[in-house]
Amino acid sequence: MTVRVQSGPFDMGPEVEAFTASVPGAGAVVTFSGLVRDEDGTLTAMEIEHYPSMTEKALEKIRAEAVSRWSLDHALIIHRYGRMAPGDQIMMVATASRHRADAFAAAEFLMDYLKS
């Protein structure tokens, strides 16, 4: 599965290990994990709503665009919904390519999309 939308937390270590194992010919794997941040010290928690059919479809579309724009072996998006506190992981992006430039560019593209 290349897109997951879930309410529960994920463990970055096993996610990266499984992703890397799925791309044995890759020369580069780039990963990024976004955290809920509290810039001014007043955030207790944030709540993200999730519309199942719409969310997965939009994320799969942007993942497919990244794969078509850069020479990727694989791309993964995990995004959480529900209540999260500062410091909680909110999302993860992983890209794999034969060369690092494509993996970095695609990961940044996906991160920018998720941030917007």
Side-chain angles (χ1 to χ4, degrees), residues 9-97:
F10 57 88
D11 188 335
M12 186 85 168
E15 295 291 350
V16 173
E17 286 180 29
F19 181 80
T20 302
S22 75
V23 288
V29 170
V30 172
T31 62
F32 175 83
S33 177
L35 306 175
V36 175
R37 73 172 174 247
D38 179 11
E39 292 183 9
D40 61 6
T42 61
L43 181 70
T44 303
M46 67 181 286
E47 183 95 21
I48 296 179
E49 292 184 354
H50 166 53
Y51 302 97
S53 62
M54 190 172 88
T55 306
E56 284 91 349
K57 188 176 184 180
L59 294 179
E60 185 52 49
K61 181 178 177 183
I62 200 69
R63 190 204 70 82
E65 184 176 340
V67 170
S68 72
R69 286 178 65 176
W70 290 277
S71 180
L72 297 180
D73 296 332
H74 194 19
L76 168 70
I77 298 171
I78 301 172
H79 204 295
R80 292 183 58 204
Y81 66 92
R83 185 177 172 86
M84 287 165 271
D88 287 351
Q89 289 178 318
I90 192 169
M91 58 82 95
M92 176 186 159
V93 167
T95 56
S97 180

